[in-house]
Amino acid sequence: MIRPSRFVQRLAGKATLKPLKHAHLARPYAPSAQNLPKSNSPIVSKLDFFNSVTGDGTQIPTYRVLDGAGKPLEGAELPEMDEAYARRLYEYMQLLPTLDNVLYNIQRQGKISFYMTSYGEEATIIGSAAGLENDDEVLGQYREMGVLLWRGFGLDKVMGQCFGNEEDTSGKGRQMPVHFGSPEHHFHTISSPLGTQIPQAAGVGFALRRDPNRRSRSIAACYFGEGAASEGDFHAGLMLASTIPAPTLYIARNNGFAISTPSSEQYHGDGIASRGPGYGIDTIRVDGNDVLAVINAVREARRRCLGQGRAVLIEAMSYRVGHHSTSDDSFAYRPRSEVEDRKRLDNPILRFRYFLESRGWWNNEAEEELKARLKADVMKAFKRSESLKRWELGELFTDVYGGEEPWNIREQRQELATLLKKYGNAWEPWRKELTKFKNNGEDLLKSAP
C-alpha cells in the first residue's frame, strides 16, 4: 500500500506541517519607500495622477526683477552693479539691433547670403553673457552673437564672418553667416544642424570637471531655442549632464516660435522648464525680457553647476520680434499687429532704459549719442569688410583632418586646380570670381598638373 504524501494528508486534514525555520521569509511583500528603486517616494493607497511639477498643480512661476516700467518688484534683489557696468549692459543691448538692421539690409542687397537677427531677445543674450565668466565654454545656437561681442570679439570679426573674408577667423569663409566660433573667446563654432550642441555641451562640461585646473572655476553654457528642445538631442544631452554628471548650464530661449511653428503646437506640457525636474536637475523659468533677472538667474545657476557638478536648466521667456531669418516672412503666420504690440508693450531695451533713467544714469542726450556712435561704428566696420578679399582659395581644403592629408582631399584640390587652369581665365564668371580671393587663386594654379 502506498502511503499518501504529507501534502495529500494535509489536504485531507490528517496531518499538519511543521513550521518552517525561516517563516518570516514567507510573509507577504509590503513595499515601502526604501524598497523602491532609487526613490524615497511615500506609499499611498489613493489613485492620484498628476500633470504638474508644482505641488498645487499651477504653472511654473517666472522669475522677474523689473516690471514693464523698469521698476524693481517688491522684495526683488538687484544684481551688484555700478553706473559704468549698467551703461555697458545697455550699450551692448543697443548694439545688437544696430548690427541686425545693417546686416539684414546688406543681405537684402545681395552682399551676404544669409542672416539671423536677435530682435526681442537682447536681454536674454546680453544678460546671460554678463552672468557667465569669460572663460566659461559657450556652445551657441544661432542668436548668440552678443555673447561674443560682450567678450570682446569685435565688429570687424563679426563682419568678417558674415562676409567670409580674410578676417573671418571662425571658418575662413567656409561657413554660412552667423555661424561664429572663437577658441580665444571660449566660443565653440556654431553648426547648422538643430540641437547637436546640446549633448556636446554635456561632454564639454564633463571634460571641464575632469580638468584639475578648471573644475572649480569653469562651466559649459549651452544655448538653444524651444524648438530645438523637441529634438532627441535635447533629452540625450540633459540625461548625460545630469547623470555623468557634468557642470553644464542649459539656457533655453523660449521665444514663442520654431520658425513658423508657435510654441502652443510644439509641446503640451508646461514649457521647457517642466522637463528639468524629470532629469533631477535644478531648474528656473526667468523673464527673458528682464536683463537683471537673467543676470541673477545665470549667476546663481552657474554657482550651482560648480557646486553640484551637474547640469542646471534655465528657460528664458521672450518673444521673437524679428523674422526667423532672412529666408522667412513671419507675417505669413502671425499678424503684424501682434509683433508691433510686443515691441511697444514689452520691449527689453526700453524696460532697462527706464531703470537707468530712474537712477539718473541715462537721458535723451546719452541715448542719441549712443545710437549715433553705434551706427557709425557698425557702418565703418561694414565698409571696411566689404572691401577685403577672401582667404586664399587653397584654404578650402585645409583644417579638415589632422595629421597626414588623406588622398581624397589631395584629389579634390588637384581637380579644382585643373579646372581653374583650363577655364579660370577663359570664362568670365570664373575670372570675375577669382579676383575676390587673395592671390586670385594663384596658390591653386601653381599646383595644377
Side-chain angles (χ1 to χ4, degrees), residues 4-299:
S5 67
R6 292 180 66 200
F7 179 69
V8 174
Q9 293 179 37
R10 177 171 173 266
L11 290 178
K14 297 179 179 179
T16 58
L17 292 176
K18 295 180 180 180
L20 296 174
K21 293 182 179 180
H22 305 289
H24 66 283
L25 296 178
R27 294 173 185 167
Y29 177 66
S32 67
Q34 287 72 30
N35 298 130
L36 297 178
K38 201 175 181 180
S39 173
N40 292 319
S41 175
I43 302 299
V44 297
S45 59
K46 180 182 177 182
L47 190 63
D48 187 15
F49 289 85
F50 63 91
N51 192 16
S52 172
V53 298
T54 59
D56 57 0
T58 59
Q59 285 193 313
I60 298 169
T62 299
Y63 171 68
R64 174 184 283 182
V65 173
L66 301 177
D67 65 15
K71 297 179 180 179
L73 301 181
E74 183 178 353
E77 183 177 344
L78 299 176
E80 184 178 343
M81 67 173 65
D82 57 14
E83 179 180 350
Y85 186 81
R87 290 171 70 109
R88 182 177 180 230
L89 285 171
Y90 186 71
E91 178 173 332
Y92 278 93
M93 289 176 68
Q94 282 283 17
L95 177 58
L96 292 183
T98 306
L99 265 168
D100 286 345
N101 288 338
V102 172
L103 286 166
Y104 193 94
N105 290 330
I106 288 172
Q107 192 280 335
R108 287 295 186 249
Q109 296 169 13
K111 296 181 178 181
I112 61 175
S113 60
F114 179 80
Y115 191 67
M116 299 184 80
T117 69
S118 54
Y119 292 131
E121 300 180 61
E122 297 88 355
T124 296
I125 296 167
I126 299 302
S128 59
L132 296 170
E133 292 296 325
N134 286 345
D135 60 353
D136 288 333
E137 301 295 329
V138 173
L139 293 92
Q141 189 172 8
Y142 306 134
R143 306 184 195 276
E144 287 74 45
M145 176 177 66
V147 178
L148 275 169
L149 289 168
W150 179 264
R151 294 184 173 190
F153 190 65
L155 293 176
D156 287 334
K157 288 186 178 180
V158 167
M159 290 293 176
Q161 197 284 324
C162 290
F163 275 93
N165 63 31
E166 59 188 293
E167 290 190 343
D168 174 18
T169 57
S170 297
K172 296 184 178 180
R174 297 170 298 200
Q175 263 282 28
M176 291 174 63
V178 304
H179 287 55
F180 299 101
S182 176
E184 176 188 354
H185 298 93
H186 300 275
F187 195 98
H188 295 236
T189 302
I190 293 170
S191 58
S192 290
L194 198 64
T196 54
Q197 76 279 13
I198 303 176
Q200 292 167 2
V204 173
F206 185 57
L208 292 172
R209 183 167 169 258
R210 288 174 55 86
D211 186 342
N213 295 320
R214 300 189 67 183
R215 66 167 60 118
S216 61
R217 65 179 179 87
S218 298
I219 68 167
C222 178
Y223 293 82
F224 54 94
E226 86 286 349
S230 297
E231 295 284 327
D233 281 340
F234 168 84
H235 300 283
L238 265 70
M239 175 66 78
L240 284 168
S242 64
T243 56
I244 293 178
T248 305
L249 173 56
Y250 288 108
I251 303 174
R253 296 179 290 93
N254 192 337
N255 63 19
F257 294 92
I259 308 183
S260 59
T261 305
S263 57
S264 59
E265 298 178 17
Q266 296 175 44
Y267 50 78
H268 185 61
D270 186 7
I272 309 305
S274 63
R275 305 176 193 180
Y279 291 103
I281 61 176
D282 292 348
T283 304
I284 190 170
R285 175 177 288 160
V286 62
D287 182 349
N289 287 345
D290 180 353
V291 66
L292 300 187
V294 174
I295 291 174
N296 277 348
V298 170
R299 285 177 177 172

Side-chain angles (χ1 to χ4, degrees), residues 98 366-378:
T98 306
E367 182 78 7
E368 293 176 4
E369 186 277 329
L370 175 64
K371 287 185 175 181
R373 174 167 55 84
L374 292 180
K375 185 174 182 180
D377 290 344
V378 170

